[in-house]
Amino acid sequence: MVAVTGADWGVGRLLVERLVTAMGSGRVREIVAITGRPAAEDGGGAPAAPGLTWRTADVRSPALAQCLAGVDVLVHTDVDRSLEVPGTKRRAGNIRAAQTVLTAAAALRVPRAVLVTGTAVHGAGPANPVPMPEDSEVGTETGAGLVGDLVEIEDLAQRARRAHPGLSVTVVRPAPLVGPDLDTALTRHFAAPRLLTVRGHEQSWQFCHVEDLADALAFVVVNGVEGKGGALAVGCEGALPQRAAEEIAGLRRFELPANVVFGATHRLHQVGFTPATAQEMKFLVYPCVVDCTTLREAGWRPSYDNEAALRALLEARGGKAALVGRHVGRKEVTITAAGAAGAAAAAIGTAAAVHHLRKRRSR
């Protein structure tokens, strides 16, 4: 029996659909779909199939354990990656959810738990090899951004392995996600007037489509894949060079020194202009490409390559515009860009952009 948290939205919903298919082939016996919204139990457009049971439980509440009797594998996909939720609130929710999932699984003697984090836990930097080995060291980032959340979730997984020897914990690390309805620092980066780059460094891109992540999670569950040290990466094979990304996106680059990029981002984050932190900005200008060795050797391949994934990201933008990771109207892009001596400079948020924001707040 397989249980999935966040089963009525995003990757969780896609995973349930794939597990239903596997159930039809006899590879999965039963599915428990866990949602925080009671409407899903009554249908509400959620998938329905014989052997699929919907349960309502807050993943941050000990009551989650009531959904896990007889479960063999628990897949936790209910991770808040929103840019709009205040960082401290998002961090508290994500960490509480991971703690509850692992504690409940151990208490109900679930043999295996699968958590979803991201390749971002390895960190982005100008000296990173392309690709990095899948078992590269996990960073120690604990700042306000989402990367800090994911690093703490990984730390919880490590502690759970030591504290609960009967619980096997697998961490699945997708590359930056693309797909419908996603609003991330990555999607906002490609919604800017120009693509920011750090002078003297060439970016390399690796993506993971949400459809591929759902496929990979189903593959991991059905085939018992664990990875080195209980962790594995999932994403498109290889890397897309910056120049190719610019050509596909139809955007020109704007180069700035590293100290300007990170210093301006830090100041704009402090005044509330952008949800992106300076640490998160590193992933948009420095490479973080991981070799997905475990899945490749196990026989799994992604459906999307990096070019197709980027095109999917661009298609999903829906005409939205962004400056320094903050959604704005097209008119504001034009005004701010002119005041900052060009759209590219506005994209990083110069002093003119900050001045523009303060003028609006004072009205």
Side-chain angles (χ1 to χ4, degrees):
M1 185 186 300
V2 182
V4 180
T5 67
D8 61 330
W9 65 280
V11 173
R13 183 187 179 98
L14 294 173
L15 174 58
V16 168
E17 293 173 354
R18 282 150 179 77
L19 292 174
V20 166
T21 300
M23 188 166 55
S25 67
R27 294 182 295 172
V28 173
R29 180 167 50 88
E30 293 179 67
I31 304 167
V32 176
I34 301 171
T35 171
R37 298 184 293 182
E41 287 195 46
D42 301 323
L52 169 61
T53 303
W54 286 89
R55 292 285 182 264
T56 301
D58 184 346
V59 292
R60 297 163 298 182
S61 167
L64 175 67
Q66 299 174 11
C67 301
L68 303 183
V71 167
D72 302 298
V73 183
L74 171 59
V75 185
H76 177 48
T77 72
D78 197 355
V79 180
D80 186 354
R81 298 172 187 262
S82 173
L83 291 176
E84 300 303 330
V85 176
T88 52
K89 180 179 180 181
R90 188 200 59 239
R91 173 74 53 84
N94 280 337
I95 299 310
R96 178 67 179 271
Q99 289 172 330
T100 303
V101 163
L102 293 168
T103 301
L108 271 291
R109 298 185 178 180
V110 175
R112 187 182 188 198
V114 179
L115 306 182
V116 180
T117 59
T119 56
V121 298
H122 299 298
N128 279 357
V130 178
M132 291 188 286
E134 188 175 49
D135 57 352
S136 295
E137 184 177 352
V138 173
T140 58
E141 166 62 28
T142 57
L146 176 62
V147 179
D149 297 17
L150 303 182
V151 168
E152 287 205 33
I153 291 172
E154 295 248 355
D155 183 59
L156 289 173
Q158 284 280 29
R159 282 188 268 170
R161 293 185 185 107
R162 295 192 296 267
H164 308 293
L167 176 65
S168 171
V169 182
T170 300
V171 176
V172 175
R173 300 168 179 157
L177 291 169
V178 304
D181 303 320
L182 286 178
D183 180 21
T184 65
L186 176 67
T187 61
R188 295 187 185 189
H189 180 69
F190 280 93
R194 295 192 184 184
L195 294 178
L196 172 69
T197 60
V198 169
R199 187 169 298 158
H201 298 282
E202 195 74 4
Q203 174 66 305
S204 295
W205 295 99
Q206 182 184 35
F207 308 107
C208 179
H209 198 283
V210 290
E211 297 277 357
D212 280 337
L213 175 55
D215 285 342
L217 287 169
F219 186 90
V220 165
V221 168
V222 171
N223 295 282
V225 180
E226 294 190 1
K228 297 178 180 178
L232 57 93
V234 54
C236 301
E237 295 183 356
L240 186 70
Q242 174 71 17
R243 293 190 182 278
E246 292 167 7
E247 183 176 345
I248 293 168
L251 295 171
R252 296 168 60 189
R253 73 173 67 185
F254 186 75
E255 295 184 344
L256 289 173
N259 63 326
V260 174
V261 171
F262 302 121
T265 302
H266 175 68
R267 289 191 296 273
L268 292 178
H269 180 70
Q270 284 186 317
V271 299
F273 185 84
T274 172
T277 65
Q279 185 67 27
E280 289 171 313
M281 181 62 71
K282 289 184 178 181
F283 292 90
L284 303 177
V285 295
Y286 293 143
C288 179
V289 178
V290 180
D291 187 1
C292 306
T293 307
T294 297
L295 285 172
R296 183 173 61 251
E297 292 182 348
W300 183 85
R301 295 291 186 277
S303 298
Y304 286 79
D305 60 18
N306 282 303
E307 180 177 336
L310 177 56
R311 293 188 186 280
L313 181 158
L314 298 171
E315 183 178 346
R317 286 180 306 183
K320 292 181 179 179
L323 291 175
V324 208
R326 173 178 174 265
H327 278 315
V328 294
R330 288 289 177 184
K331 183 177 180 181
E332 187 175 359
V333 170
T334 303
I335 293 172
T336 308
I348 184 56
T350 59
V354 177
H355 178 66
H356 175 67
L357 174 66
R358 288 174 175 167
K359 285 181 63 178
R360 290 182 62 196
R361 287 180 170 175
S362 65
R363 291 174 185 171

